[in-house]
Amino acid sequence: MYRTHYVSELSPEMDGQEVVIAGWVHEVRNIGKIVFILLRDRSGIAQVIGKEGVVSDDIIKSMNLPKESVIRIRGTVKRSSESKAGFEIVPLEVKNLNPLEAAIPFEVTGKVAAEIDVRLDNRQIDLRRIETTSIFNIQSTILNSFRSTMLREGFSEIRTPVLVEAATEGGADLFTVDYFEKKAFLAQSPQLYKQLAVVGGMDRVFMVVPVFRAEKHNTVFHLNEVTQMDAEMGFADHKDAIKLLKKVVKGIINDVAKKNGMDLERLNVSLSKPVIKEITYKKALGLLNANGSELEFGQDLNREHEEALCRLLGELVVVKEYPSSVRAFYSMPNERDRSVCNSFDLIYKGLEISSGAQRIHIPETLIQSIKEHGLDPKEFEFYINAFRQGAPPHAGWSLGLERLTMKLTGMQNIRECSLFPRDRIRLKP
Ligand code: AMO
């Protein structure tokens, strides 16, 4: 057994109890007759004190370790008013589990700031920073919260292929791979497959999937491999999909606030109670133009417009019913106003984190839309034909995991929120 307790499970009330803790040497200080080790595990930091006369000389000697050594300490909990935690550990045995053979490339304690590229090149070391661990603790809550809301709402989790034959989100941004004698692509989205699952009668499906975008962007908001949390529902329009999205996102924010208090504190973030406003694209245009923008109908909203909308309306804003020309080919034209389609985006603190739509389930309308978007209906024959065999109206959305994590953790660069990010130049580790 390597440990009996995580550091966070120890308390002054355990005074006199023998425990085994394990982790890394966060700090070590030798002030003559006393050696201090701060032992760090994923839950926190404990102070271990070796005092001459109290512990043996051999133990004191064994405590003189380089920072980031991986150790196990058997010791006794001792109540102490001098320590911040109210207790310290008096060591009975200190074991160096694997002596360091290479230098640590940057200060894990954060005393000296390290460049993000150095940290990402050494992600396994970066994860020893308590702030980095906190980001991924929060990400874990996001994924769990998403899953539990979807299951509660009667959705089934499905898997969809990553290797695909055709584009879904536009032709240019695809990674190609050799697939035996043919060319294949890495999926930009599970779009067509989640729709087919609904058309097949599963009715309510969700998935967490990696998607690949060969966009040559080099920004702090874009990755080339993204994790999407997707939903698709039958007998539904965009309003039903927006209702579900709001429930999911509110649930995630509330769950993170409830379960990740310590992580939020370490990241210096406080979350406000989620309130989500809704506005049509046309009204948003009017509002933005009244506040200094010069937008014309048919123009897509850029980041500045999205930031302005959040300033004017609140942290979370759904913009709905965009012009068809700025949306994916599968977005259903609006019945009352053909100049727009039943699509929507969710903006959180100035950044688009989700987009969705009611889909076109009428084959002829779909063919026309594919052509209007400059794509070739022949490449979508299988997909179009699926709507000739009894396809219900349906709608859905996708929520970007890394962008949502970024906004919930207050990070400025999306790379911080992907464990092993893939960007224009980064393909390792
Ligand atoms: P979209 O392309 O808008 O929609 O993607 C949905 C969400 O995924 C995230 N995202 C990204 N995050 C970081 N870097 C990128 N390069 C990137 N691309 C996308 C964003 C975005 O809001 N099939 C549709 C969804 C649907 O209609 O169901 C789609 O993929 O958070």
Side-chain angles (χ1 to χ4, degrees):
M1 181 183 38
Y2 283 99
R3 60 160 67 90
T4 54
H5 295 82
Y6 278 113
V7 164
S8 63
E9 292 166 337
L10 304 179
S11 66
E13 287 67 46
M14 293 164 74
D15 189 49
Q17 191 175 324
E18 191 175 309
V19 295
V20 183
I21 53 176
W24 287 264
V25 175
H26 190 64
E27 284 284 5
V28 60
R29 253 172 296 147
N30 188 335
I31 48 170
K33 295 186 171 163
I34 308 179
V35 181
F36 294 87
I37 285 183
L38 296 184
L39 180 147
R40 183 191 70 241
D41 68 17
R42 72 163 197 197
S43 71
I45 291 172
Q47 182 162 279
V48 182
I49 296 197
K51 253 190 217 160
E52 224 179 85
V54 177
V55 301
S56 71
D57 288 353
D58 283 351
I59 290 182
I60 293 199
K61 222 188 277 160
S62 68
M63 289 176 75
N64 283 307
L65 292 164
K67 279 207 259 186
E68 293 310 307
S69 300
V70 64
I71 56 168
R72 185 188 65 186
I73 292 182
R74 186 166 61 81
T76 315
V77 179
K78 182 167 167 271
R79 197 187 288 274
S80 157
S81 54
E82 279 158 39
S83 145
K84 216 163 109 196
F87 68 90
E88 56 202 26
I89 305 292
V90 181
L92 299 168
E93 185 191 9
V94 176
K95 188 151 176 56
N96 189 354
L97 296 174
N98 190 3
L100 287 190
E101 286 186 13
I104 305 293
F106 55 89
E107 263 284 342
V108 172
T109 57
K111 278 185 190 154
V112 186
E115 291 288 327
I116 185 166
D117 278 327
V118 179
R119 290 200 284 107
L120 292 177
D121 286 344
N122 299 277
R123 194 56 143 165
Q124 75 284 8
I125 305 291
D126 186 43
L127 268 173
R128 295 189 197 163
R129 293 168 64 242
I130 255 159
E131 296 82 358
T132 309
T133 315
S134 288
I135 294 171
F136 293 100
N137 288 342
I138 289 172
Q139 193 162 83
S140 169
T141 303
I142 296 173
L143 286 164
N144 276 307
S145 175
F146 170 63
R147 283 208 164 90
S148 47
T149 306
M150 297 308 280
L151 292 172
R152 228 177 13 249
E153 292 295 312
F155 284 72
S156 304
E157 181 161 6
I158 58 166
R159 313 295 300 166
T160 52
V162 163
L163 287 168
V164 298
E165 198 179 27
T168 55
E169 308 298 315
D173 299 330
L174 286 154
F175 287 109
T176 47
V177 283
D178 291 331
Y179 193 72
F180 303 109
E181 292 76 33
K182 282 196 217 166
K183 276 245 163 306
F185 303 106
L186 296 180
Q188 294 164 302
S189 151
Q191 185 63 39
L192 310 186
Y193 300 96
K194 63 179 182 173
Q195 286 187 254
L196 293 179
V198 169
V199 167
M202 286 193 79
D203 204 52
R204 296 184 148 222
V205 294
F206 75 96
M207 65 231 70
V208 178
V209 282
V211 302
F212 303 87
R213 306 275 169 110
E215 297 156 349
K216 287 185 176 158
H217 296 302
N218 192 6
T219 80
V220 291
F221 308 107
H222 290 91
L223 292 169
N224 295 106
E225 179 173 345
V226 179
T227 309
Q228 289 190 337
M229 299 179 283
D230 272 50
E232 198 69 24
M233 60 211 281
F235 302 91
D237 65 11
H238 64 310
K239 291 184 184 150
D240 301 306
I242 292 172
K243 207 165 145 199
L244 174 72
L245 177 64
K246 284 167 127 182
K247 195 176 266 185
V248 164
V249 170
K250 282 185 184 174
I252 290 173
I253 298 175
N254 287 332
D255 280 346
V256 169
K258 204 161 72 195
K259 297 179 183 163
N260 295 89
M262 171 82 89
D263 297 307
L264 292 169
E265 209 175 290
R266 284 172 181 165
L267 295 166
N268 209 7
V269 174
S270 64
L271 297 176
S272 25
K273 193 169 175 293
V275 177
I276 308 182
K277 301 270 174 60
E278 262 181 63
I279 187 169
T280 62
Y281 166 88
K282 281 189 175 169
K283 286 208 172 120
L285 228 59
L287 183 65
L288 288 166
N289 286 344
N291 283 276
S293 297
E294 287 179 4
L295 275 161
E296 281 176 24
F297 180 84
Q299 266 179 274
D300 204 356
L301 305 183
N302 65 24
R303 289 246 321 116
E304 271 165 33
H305 304 129
E306 290 171 346
E307 274 171 8
L309 281 178
C310 286
R311 266 198 311 276
L312 294 163
L313 297 172
E315 264 183 10
L316 285 148
V317 182
V318 171
V319 182
K320 59 190 179 187
E321 294 160 16
Y322 285 80
S324 300
S325 56
V326 299
R327 302 300 292 204
F329 68 85
Y330 46 72
S331 312
M332 183 65 131
N334 188 279
E335 244 176 29
R336 273 175 293 114
D337 178 356
R338 307 295 285 184
S339 69
V340 297
C341 61
N342 290 347
S343 56
F344 56 90
D345 275 358
L346 172 62
I347 308 165
Y348 186 21
K349 297 179 186 168
L351 182 68
E352 176 213 306
I353 57 162
S354 174
S355 76
Q358 181 184 5
R359 324 301 184 183
I360 302 176
H361 63 289
I362 313 292
E364 293 321 309
T365 316
L366 187 57
I367 293 172
Q368 194 185 331
S369 179
I370 289 174
K371 287 186 189 155
E372 280 168 9
H373 283 79
L375 298 165
D376 182 359
K378 271 202 210 99
E379 291 197 9
F380 294 91
E381 249 165 41
F382 176 76
Y383 175 65
I384 299 163
N385 286 339
F387 299 107
R388 299 187 197 280
Q389 299 160 322
H394 58 288
W397 44 257
S398 172
L399 190 52
L401 177 66
E402 295 83 3
R403 283 196 182 177
L404 177 55
T405 310
M406 194 180 165
K407 288 296 157 181
L408 281 172
T409 57
M411 290 297 117
Q412 302 298 316
N413 189 332
I414 194 166
R415 291 163 185 77
E416 302 272 10
C417 302
S418 169
L419 197 49
F420 295 103
R422 294 290 175 257
D423 64 21
R424 186 90 167 76
I425 43 180
R426 181 172 292 283
L427 198 53
K428 68 175 191 190

